[in-house]
Amino acid sequence: MKPGGRQLLGLVLAIFGVLGSIISCALPTWRSPEWRKSEGLWKSCNFDYSYYPRPTTECKSYDSLLALPQDLQAARVLIVIAIIVGIFGVMVGVVGGNCTNLVSNTRKNSKVAIASGIIFIISGVLVLIPVCWTTITIAHESYNEEYRMGAALHIGWVSVGLLILGGSLLCSSRPLKKETSYDVKYSQPPSV
């Protein structure tokens, strides 16, 4: 695959990873302590399935930060930082892409693409930490109660994969070899 195509594919995958982390942050389904209840980063929801054609959902924000479990408190901070870092990576990737003329030199273009790849990998690790922590917490708490992983965690796992894969593709676009503009001339040996 050509370096320009690799950069474009990496940038598209990373953009989808950033969008997935935004969706994962917004969804109120990080974990389900009961069958009719779910907890998210910003609110908890109760589902009422007694109304058959159309079940009702009642969501409310947390009363205080202390009402939120410790893993979800840390996940709030890390996911928001990961989204900010990911958006910065998108901006750097668009500026340094081969499809734009914002950077004049192709060697500098490749370096900017590598920098955006590193930023996307950092964003992926920042999403990976809360997703893993919440998954491990759910696994430990499921012995005592019926805890299940919610849809936001599954979207978070996919986002981690897309961010790291896209960042790796961007990092694999090496800069071109430095070409010299001058000719090398050797002096002739003296005759005997």
Side-chain angles (χ1 to χ4, degrees):
M1 183 181 276
K2 292 182 179 180
R6 191 179 308 132
Q7 282 183 8
L8 185 62
L9 178 64
L11 186 62
V12 167
L13 290 175
I15 288 172
F16 280 125
V18 171
L19 290 176
S21 60
I22 292 170
I23 292 170
S24 177
C25 177
L27 283 179
T29 56
W30 272 65
R31 62 188 197 170
S32 299
E34 298 173 10
W35 183 67
R36 295 180 180 211
K37 186 176 180 182
S38 69
E39 296 175 348
L41 297 180
W42 309 103
K43 56 187 168 183
S44 65
C45 293
N46 293 322
F47 303 102
D48 188 8
Y49 294 104
S50 61
Y51 303 107
Y52 172 66
R54 191 172 209 175
T56 60
T57 305
E58 179 185 332
C59 295
K60 69 173 197 168
S61 298
Y62 293 106
D63 295 332
S64 71
L65 190 61
L66 298 175
L68 194 63
Q70 186 178 8
D71 59 330
L72 295 182
Q73 287 178 8
R76 267 186 179 185
V77 175
L78 290 172
I79 289 289
V80 169
I81 292 173
I83 290 170
I84 292 169
V85 169
I87 290 172
F88 179 69
V90 169
M91 289 189 293
V92 171
V94 168
V95 167
N98 281 339
C99 55
T100 61
N101 293 333
L102 297 174
V103 178
S104 59
N105 190 350
T106 57
R107 185 167 172 81
K108 289 180 184 177
N109 234 354
S110 295
K111 287 182 181 181
V112 172
I114 290 171
S116 71
I118 292 169
I119 293 170
F120 285 130
I121 291 173
I122 291 170
S123 178
V125 169
L126 287 172
V127 174
L128 179 67
I129 293 169
V131 168
C132 282
W133 189 359
T134 306
T135 303
I136 290 170
T137 303
I138 290 171
H140 285 291
E141 290 178 353
S142 66
Y143 290 117
N144 300 334
E145 299 176 28
E146 184 64 31
Y147 274 91
R148 291 175 294 162
M149 287 176 45
L153 282 180
H154 296 291
I155 294 171
W157 283 109
V158 172
S159 298
V160 167
L162 289 174
L163 283 167
I164 292 177
L165 181 63
S168 300
L169 284 173
L170 283 167
C171 285
S172 68
S173 59
R174 295 181 299 257
L176 300 173
K177 293 182 180 179
K178 189 174 183 180
E179 297 179 8
T180 57
S181 61
Y182 55 88
D183 294 332
V184 177
K185 295 183 181 181
Y186 296 102
S187 61
Q188 294 192 2
S191 60
V192 184

